[in-house]
Amino acid sequence: MSEPRKPLIALDDALASLLAQVTPLAGTETLATAETRGRVLAADLVSPVDVPPADNSAMDGYALRAADAGALLPVTQRIPAGSVPAPLAAGEAARIFTGAQVPPGADTVVMQEHTELVDGQLRVTQPVSPGANVRLRGEDVRAGAVVLPAGTRLDAVSLGLAATAGAAQLTVTRRPRVAVFSTGDELVMPGEPLPPGAIYNSNRFTLRALLEGLGCEVVDLGIVPDNLAATRAALRDAASKADVILTSGGVSVGEEDHLRPAVQAEGRLDLWAIAIKPGKPFAYGRVGEAHFIGLPGNPVSSLVTFLVLVRPFLLKLQGATRLAPRGYRIPAGFDWPKPDKRREFLRVRLDEDSGLALFGNQSSGVLTSAFWADGLLDNPAGQAFAAGHAVRFIPFAELLS
Ligand code: AMP
Ligand code: MG
């Protein structure tokens, strides 16, 4: 039985519809700061302290009043990092080290290379600018300020910033549980022999790694055979275990594509034809309480649809605030005279001198293209361009984390 062709939906509309289905998961966990990388902060983190907590020296040298720099100054104290200095009187200098608190009364640190000692007294040999080499109390973070807003995805830098504000623990949102399975009777697992007609299952590895990179807990249900009963059973199992069911393959409308009738029988399904290349077929539905997302089977289609649709979906589910990857305008290093009528995500490499270079084979089955690439060229539907034209480049660094 053939169906009328579905009209193509623009990616932005598909994404908006998909995100409209998401209510961020309830529930938070409080964990040791070091255990929270990749998680999403549940509440604003306010610093109880100024950072730095006191004016301190950016150099090994001598603390003094800039106004005294022309005179010979007795060195009246020695201030290593971690010690508490005595006030500095006019006409005195203090030996000071990087990170040590600047004594009250001093306004400037002169680096040791710009000084000499004459009979135990300090002489400054270079012009001094008042305030030089002093890191001011609170110049990084003010007490009472929000250092990390709720919805921040915690990475190496944000964890350091949380620690600098003294946070030993952070409250983060719950990890989504995502059940994944691949469909396709042609799939065998790496490590097994490859009989005629078979291919190795790559999507299972790509999707699992993508999910883990997004802080999800993966329930890996393996390969489900191409028949209705097995697909329905897998969906029920997945729905009982997870917040989201993610599948690859079987969402086209061929006779061997059983996901559609299976999801329809177990819940509800929208099949979308999205105007992107690669990755046109995409399915969203519900099975019980779980979200269902069906990705196309071709490895690059599956990767690209995950990155442009599923990634923002899973980030919103975790309460993250920045959902869209940043794109940059970069000159193309090649001509693109015959654009597709769908929006294209071309696998390109960033060459410092010649702009973006194109991988020769842009087939949706050629995963080598994505391995070779540094990111995706996001080309509007129907847009031809010539070399030198500034196009939108989304680095994998933005997408794969
Ligand atoms: P389908 O979407 O099921 O029609 O599959 C489209 C293409 O992707 C077919 O060539 C499949 O063999 C291939 N494919 C489907 N699933 C996977 C997978 N998990 N790993 C690698 N290739 C796959
Ligand atoms: Mg299939």
Side-chain angles (χ1 to χ4, degrees):
M1 193 178 68
S2 74
E3 292 202 12
R5 265 188 182 279
K6 285 221 155 206
L8 293 184
I9 313 171
L11 176 61
D12 290 341
D13 295 338
L15 182 59
S17 305
L18 189 65
L19 293 178
Q21 302 298 323
V22 181
T23 310
L25 295 173
T28 61
E29 281 184 85
T30 299
L31 300 173
T33 299
E35 304 300 316
T36 60
R37 187 175 60 84
R39 302 293 292 274
V40 175
L41 195 64
D44 287 352
L45 181 72
V46 173
S47 178
V49 293
D50 283 327
V51 182
D55 294 354
N56 72 86
S57 177
M59 291 283 174
D60 289 340
Y62 293 86
L64 44 81
R65 298 174 192 220
D68 291 342
L72 268 185
L73 305 172
V75 180
T76 53
Q77 58 178 317
R78 186 174 183 278
I79 317 168
S83 66
V84 179
L88 191 87
E92 290 178 356
R95 179 76 173 118
I96 195 165
F97 299 89
T98 305
Q101 206 169 313
V102 172
D107 57 20
T108 302
V109 171
V110 180
M111 63 197 290
Q112 63 195 21
E113 293 84 344
H114 294 175
T115 64
E116 59 192 25
L117 287 173
V118 181
D119 299 332
Q121 306 248 92
L122 184 76
R123 199 165 78 89
V124 177
T125 58
Q126 302 278 326
V128 165
S129 46
N133 303 318
V134 176
R135 303 190 279 212
L136 295 176
R137 171 179 182 158
E139 74 173 24
D140 188 354
V141 176
R142 288 237 169 263
V146 173
V147 271
L148 298 173
T152 298
R153 285 183 74 206
L154 298 163
D155 62 7
V157 172
S158 45
L159 291 188
L161 198 52
T164 219
Q169 295 185 315
L170 294 174
T171 300
V172 294
T173 61
R174 181 165 80 74
R175 302 174 73 179
R177 301 191 78 193
V178 183
V180 196
F181 63 84
S182 330
T183 70
D185 283 347
E186 73 279 30
L187 301 177
V188 297
M189 286 301 291
E192 291 172 2
L194 193 65
I199 58 163
Y200 284 122
N201 182 349
S202 63
N203 292 345
R204 185 176 182 181
F205 293 81
T206 304
L207 294 176
R208 192 179 167 138
L210 288 166
L211 290 167
E212 285 170 356
L214 285 171
C216 300
E217 205 179 302
V218 177
V219 181
D220 188 343
L221 300 178
I223 301 171
V224 172
D226 280 331
N227 74 67
L228 188 60
T231 310
R232 287 185 63 170
L235 287 170
R236 282 195 299 274
D237 182 32
S240 73
K241 292 177 174 158
D243 303 299
V244 180
I245 305 166
L246 183 68
T247 66
S248 80
V251 288
S252 321
V253 286
E255 290 157 36
E256 293 301 330
D257 293 321
H258 298 283
L259 263 172
R260 182 178 55 137
V263 180
Q264 279 163 343
E266 296 295 333
R268 64 176 181 81
L269 181 76
D270 282 329
L271 244 196
W272 297 346
I274 301 178
I276 57 171
K277 188 181 176 185
K280 183 168 69 166
F282 183 89
Y284 174 79
R286 288 271 187 168
V287 178
E289 292 292 295
H291 298 275
F292 169 82
I293 294 176
L295 301 179
N298 274 307
V300 184
S301 306
S302 167
L303 172 69
V304 168
T305 47
F306 185 98
L307 295 176
V308 299
L309 289 158
V310 184
R311 180 179 179 277
F313 175 94
L314 291 171
L315 290 175
K316 184 173 178 193
L317 201 61
Q318 296 178 73
T321 39
R322 197 162 80 79
L323 306 182
R326 264 187 275 259
Y328 303 89
R329 291 276 151 196
I330 310 263
F334 60 95
D335 295 330
W336 195 244
K338 293 198 178 97
D340 199 88
K341 59 182 187 300
R342 292 178 272 162
R343 180 167 167 184
E344 288 172 290
F345 290 94
L346 303 171
R347 275 75 68 211
V348 293
R349 194 179 257 195
L350 185 56
D351 185 314
E352 270 189 52
D353 305 317
S354 51
L356 297 172
L358 182 73
F359 190 78
N361 186 342
Q362 293 284 323
S363 158
S364 62
V366 175
L367 200 51
T368 312
S369 65
F371 174 69
W372 177 89
D374 294 322
L376 300 173
L377 188 167
D378 173 7
N379 193 47
Q383 181 175 285
F385 57 80
H389 179 75
V391 291
R392 181 164 190 261
F393 173 66
I394 312 173
F396 277 144
E398 282 282 317
L399 291 165
L400 296 178
S401 60

